[in-house]
Amino acid sequence: MKKKALFLAAVFILLCITNIKAQEEDSISQYKWRHNLAANFYIIPDDFFILPVYQGDLDRFHMEMRYNYEDRQSFSLWFGYNFSGGNNFEYTITPMAGAVMGNTNGLAPGLEITLGFYGFELYAESEYIFDMDAREDNFYYNWTDLSYSPLDWMWFGLSIQRTKLYQTDLEIQRGLLLGGGYKWFGINGYLYNIGWDDPYFILSLSLNF
């Protein structure tokens, strides 16, 4: 199992590097790739693990690669299309299709939504995994953040999460978020299940280029 996890992680890193290098060398295209690399550190009772995510956008084309996201030691690859616009009210809606391989194997439709209005932002990502090994393991996943930015470099808000990755007696994990950023770097802290059983913390770091 460890060898399989290391293999999937190596594939994840190799695909990230290959994709970034290919786009840097492509000077013919009129569009430029936008990249985001993120690492979510789950700090939970008696355990710790990292969830890396790569996102790439070329005009309206969108792709993602994830590890430890839908399940432990599972890799997923996603492709989607961005619908975006707005002025005071800004929106980006990205329907996606993905495949999951590892401890969980399946196909999944997904949707990412970002809505912004005068410092307020709603971000939501949802997916439904059709497990290829057992139908009873089909799973609906959601992560939603509602935040407000009093300053360009700082934001705070509420977060909810329904995940197979780490489950508690609560079906939906509820928490607070606090974040900040400068130019190409961002950091978010999430504290879930305050006042309930099994509280846990997530530290998220991201790079945009």
Side-chain angles (χ1 to χ4, degrees):
M1 187 62 69
K2 290 184 177 180
K3 291 183 178 179
K4 185 177 181 180
L6 290 173
F7 173 76
L8 290 172
V11 171
F12 177 88
I13 295 171
L14 180 61
L15 287 172
C16 287
I17 295 174
T18 302
N19 180 69
I20 294 172
K21 185 176 180 181
Q23 304 317 317
E24 289 177 346
E25 293 176 351
D26 184 7
S27 60
I28 299 176
S29 175
Q30 67 183 87
Y31 302 112
K32 292 184 178 180
W33 277 85
R34 301 184 306 278
H35 306 282
N36 176 272
L37 288 174
N40 300 315
F41 300 86
Y42 276 68
I43 304 169
I44 59 181
D46 302 320
D47 201 359
F48 170 81
F49 56 92
I50 302 174
L51 188 162
V53 178
Y54 164 77
Q55 296 178 322
D57 292 277
L58 178 64
D59 191 33
R60 295 190 179 276
F61 172 75
H62 177 81
M63 71 170 297
E64 293 190 21
M65 290 179 283
R66 309 168 177 173
Y67 184 70
N68 272 349
Y69 199 90
E70 286 75 18
D71 196 1
R72 300 283 189 101
Q73 299 178 354
S74 296
F75 168 81
S76 61
L77 179 63
W78 295 83
F79 296 98
Y81 190 83
N82 295 316
F83 298 92
S84 60
N87 189 5
N88 294 328
F89 175 75
E90 299 178 333
Y91 66 89
T92 300
I93 301 173
T94 308
M96 303 187 301
V100 185
M101 299 155 282
N103 278 349
T104 293
N105 297 286
L107 301 175
L111 180 67
E112 294 182 349
I113 298 175
T114 302
L115 307 177
F117 183 73
Y118 288 108
F120 289 93
E121 182 176 280
L122 174 67
Y123 172 77
E125 57 184 54
S126 302
E127 64 184 77
Y128 189 87
I129 298 177
F130 294 93
D131 195 293
M132 305 299 288
D133 299 322
R135 182 179 298 178
E136 60 270 19
D137 290 333
N138 292 355
F139 192 82
Y140 170 73
Y141 172 92
N142 178 271
W143 185 333
T144 299
D145 294 340
L146 176 61
S147 61
Y148 174 69
S149 300
L151 302 170
D152 290 341
W153 55 271
M154 184 184 74
W155 50 86
F156 61 90
L158 304 174
S159 178
I160 61 173
Q161 187 181 76
R162 187 176 192 271
T163 177
K164 186 178 179 180
L165 188 64
Y166 178 66
Q167 296 175 300
T168 69
D169 292 336
L170 297 170
E171 182 177 359
I172 298 177
Q173 317 302 318
R174 307 120 189 221
L176 303 174
L177 73 91
L178 176 64
Y182 180 72
K183 293 184 177 179
W184 44 267
F185 176 75
I187 181 171
N188 286 296
Y190 297 85
L191 184 58
Y192 286 98
N193 299 345
I194 306 170
W196 286 282
D197 293 336
D198 302 319
Y200 64 99
F201 180 72
I202 298 176
L203 177 64
S204 178
L205 305 178
S206 63
L207 300 175
N208 294 283
F209 52 98

